[in-house]
Amino acid sequence: MTGVPASATGGTGRPAPRGKLGTAAVNPVSVWNIANILTMIRLVLVPAFVVLLLQDGGHDPVWRAWAWAAFAVAMITDVFDGHLARTYNLVTDFGKIADPIADKAIMAAGLICLSGLGDLPWWVTGVILARELGITLMRFWVIRHGVIPASRGGKMKTLAQGTAVGMYVLMLTGPLATMRFWVMTVAVVLTVVTGLDYVRQAIVLRREGLAEERAAAREEASAR
């Protein structure tokens, strides 16, 4: 859901000790584990969700309900694959790459389709997608210094986004249509706030990492 799982770094945001890496090398985890299978199911659901959502011009309540079902299954697998990978040590290189791709793909597909259908303002889609892409690139920027762990705010953001997009996929009317507007508002606010917090964490992590590298270099030079 957020790139490299916490278990891949010993849960501290720093690379795992050599001993742990050596153990992982001796006992490699099969790619064909339940966590990765759930991730692959979510990837397959992305085009299926888009096809269902856009059937008959994208405004048929029945097809929209089927699209919502596909989206809901994708969101559920998103919760379980990461939990299973961390709990049962099923972390693989494939999972580290495929999991965040699947997360971003299903959410981006929903937002872009809804905006294309005129159900959701394009600026909302732009803000959310820009934040997700920016944070992903930023994680790679600081990854040699450590991993930025998923925060509670980030998890709330993901829940709010998923709930809001799901409500927009369904053709709701009356009070529920009003409620989905406010749920999406909360999602956008959390998207921006947590994005700024991740930027702060990345700056601190990089600064600390560079300081440690300089200290190590000075220690090595003095030992010569």
Side-chain angles (χ1 to χ4, degrees):
M1 286 176 280
T2 55
V4 182
S7 60
T9 61
T12 62
R14 295 290 183 183
R18 290 183 180 180
K20 293 185 178 181
L21 287 176
T23 303
V26 174
N27 301 303
V29 179
S30 171
V31 172
W32 296 101
N33 61 64
I34 183 62
N36 285 346
I37 289 172
L38 289 175
T39 298
M40 287 185 274
I41 289 173
R42 193 156 76 257
L43 285 168
V44 171
L45 282 172
V46 175
F49 164 69
V50 172
V51 169
L52 291 169
L53 181 58
L54 299 181
Q55 281 294 314
D56 289 342
H59 297 290
D60 186 303
V62 176
W63 285 113
R64 294 279 286 253
W66 281 108
W68 176 86
F71 183 81
V73 171
M75 291 295 99
I76 292 171
T77 62
D78 183 20
V79 173
F80 282 104
D81 63 357
H83 174 73
L84 290 170
R86 291 187 295 272
T87 302
Y88 298 103
N89 194 27
L90 300 176
V91 177
T92 64
D93 289 338
F94 171 82
K96 294 175 188 178
I97 297 172
D99 183 66
I101 290 175
D103 298 341
K104 303 297 186 293
I106 190 70
M107 189 62 64
L111 291 166
I112 292 171
C113 287
L114 289 170
S115 292
L117 292 170
D119 295 338
L120 187 67
W122 275 107
W123 71 265
V124 173
T125 295
V127 167
I128 294 177
L129 294 186
R131 184 270 191 198
E132 299 300 335
L133 178 60
I135 296 302
T136 299
L137 294 175
M138 188 181 64
R139 286 179 184 277
F140 283 110
W141 178 54
V142 300
I143 196 168
R144 74 186 182 94
H145 302 297
V147 176
I148 303 175
S151 65
R152 180 174 298 179
K155 294 176 181 177
M156 290 175 59
K157 177 270 303 180
T158 300
L159 176 62
Q161 285 182 0
T163 303
V165 170
M167 293 179 74
Y168 270 87
V169 169
L170 291 172
M171 299 190 72
L172 302 176
T173 58
L176 288 176
T178 302
M179 183 183 297
R180 72 182 183 183
F181 167 81
W182 290 109
V183 174
M184 182 59 79
T185 300
V186 171
V188 171
V189 171
L190 287 174
T191 296
V192 174
V193 171
T194 57
L196 294 174
D197 182 58
Y198 278 130
V199 170
R200 179 192 62 79
Q201 291 185 59
I203 293 172
V204 172
L205 183 61
R206 186 171 186 272
R207 183 184 301 148
E208 291 176 349
L210 291 174
E212 290 176 3
E213 289 177 0
R214 287 193 292 268
R218 286 195 297 269
E219 184 176 335
E220 182 178 351
S222 62
R224 290 177 180 176

